[in-house]
């Protein structure tokens, strides 16, 4: 039953994104037979160090979607305080609903069943522009963001942008 609800909802969201694309990303299925695995192309936001980059990621939806959030993982190398070195994206909107046991996030900042693929990806684009270096998934990137923004951080991001363009 839950899988049917997830598939129905995801099918509707995919149709909506195809009808009304949103600037900054494109999304589609990895395999037409599996609505729970999406491939996303995130374009580096204008006026950011990531500008000009095309970063591939996967959205992996649980069978319990929309009651539980998907996971997002960059397949392309992505240097950012809120993206782990293995590509896992760490932002509030993708955290399980309810109270944060560490008291860092308010429940309304975490996953809510009203979120869609569009709201997730718009949150990711916002995260790219405004990292949260107080709760990093990549401590090294967060340290560079804080201490060496114009030098080491910028250099690492530009390297990722160049690598992302090699596959076009």
């Amino acid at each position: 039953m839950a899988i049917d609800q997830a598939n129905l909802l995801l099918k509707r969201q995919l149709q909506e994104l195809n009808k009304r694309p949103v600037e900054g990303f494109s999304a589609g299925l990895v395999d037409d037979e599996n609505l729970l695995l999406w491939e996303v192309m995130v374009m580096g936001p204008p006026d950011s160090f990531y500008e000009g980059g095309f970063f591939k990621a996967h959205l992996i939806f649980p069978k319990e979607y929309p009651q539980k959030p998907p996971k997002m993982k960059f397949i392309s190398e992505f240097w950012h305080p809120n993206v782990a070195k293995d590509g896992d994206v760490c932002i509030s909107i993708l955290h399980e609903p309810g109270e944060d046991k560490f008291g860092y996030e308010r429940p309304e900042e975490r996953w809510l069943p009203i979120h869609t693929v569009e709201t997730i990806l718009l949150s990711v684009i916002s995260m790219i522009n405004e990292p949260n270096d107080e709760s990093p998934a990549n401590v090294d990137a967060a340290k560079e963001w804080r201490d060496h923004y114009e030098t080491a951080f910028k250099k690492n991001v530009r390297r990722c942008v160049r690598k992302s363009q090699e596959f076009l």
Side-chain angles (χ1 to χ4, degrees):
M1 180 72 168
I3 190 79
D4 293 337
Q5 180 185 11
N7 281 337
L8 185 63
L9 189 55
L10 289 168
K11 188 178 204 176
R12 196 174 317 135
Q13 288 180 27
L14 181 60
Q15 288 170 341
E16 186 64 30
L17 284 172
N18 286 332
K19 274 194 265 182
R20 290 182 197 76
V22 178
E23 191 173 330
F25 65 86
S26 64
L29 301 178
V30 171
D31 171 3
D32 289 340
E33 302 301 313
N34 183 0
L35 284 161
L36 299 178
L37 180 60
W38 290 39
E39 185 170 88
V40 178
M41 185 65 73
V42 178
M43 288 68 132
D47 301 320
S48 76
F49 291 154
Y50 301 90
E51 184 173 19
F54 296 90
F55 304 97
K56 188 186 292 188
H58 283 164
L59 269 172
I60 304 105
F61 294 89
K63 293 177 197 148
E64 301 84 8
Y65 180 81
Q67 302 309 314
K68 292 191 176 221
K71 297 198 180 315
M72 184 169 177
K73 183 180 193 86
F74 276 98
I75 306 306
S76 302
E77 186 177 340
F78 200 81
W79 189 251
H80 191 280
N82 305 116
V83 178
K85 290 180 182 178
D86 69 358
D88 286 343
V89 174
C90 181
I91 56 174
S92 300
I93 193 174
L94 296 178
H95 293 163
E96 291 282 334
E99 293 292 325
D100 176 10
K101 64 182 175 184
F102 302 109
Y104 183 74
E105 300 167 333
R106 295 185 317 271
E108 60 272 16
E109 296 174 317
R110 296 167 70 89
W111 179 256
L112 297 169
I114 60 167
H115 288 302
T116 64
V117 172
E118 182 178 342
T119 62
I120 293 164
L121 294 173
L122 290 172
S123 293
V124 169
I125 290 169
S126 177
M127 169 209 77
I128 291 170
N129 284 321
E130 299 174 29
N132 176 357
D133 64 344
E134 294 176 20
S135 178
N138 181 333
V139 175
D140 295 332
K143 187 165 176 35
E144 281 184 6
W145 167 263
R146 279 193 301 266
D147 302 339
H148 305 288
Y149 181 74
E150 284 294 329
T151 55
F153 184 80
K154 184 176 181 178
K155 180 181 172 187
N156 278 319
V157 170
R158 295 308 302 163
R159 179 181 44 77
C160 291
V161 168
R162 279 192 308 278
K163 281 179 89 171
S164 79
Q165 295 168 336
E166 291 172 6
F167 300 105
L168 296 178

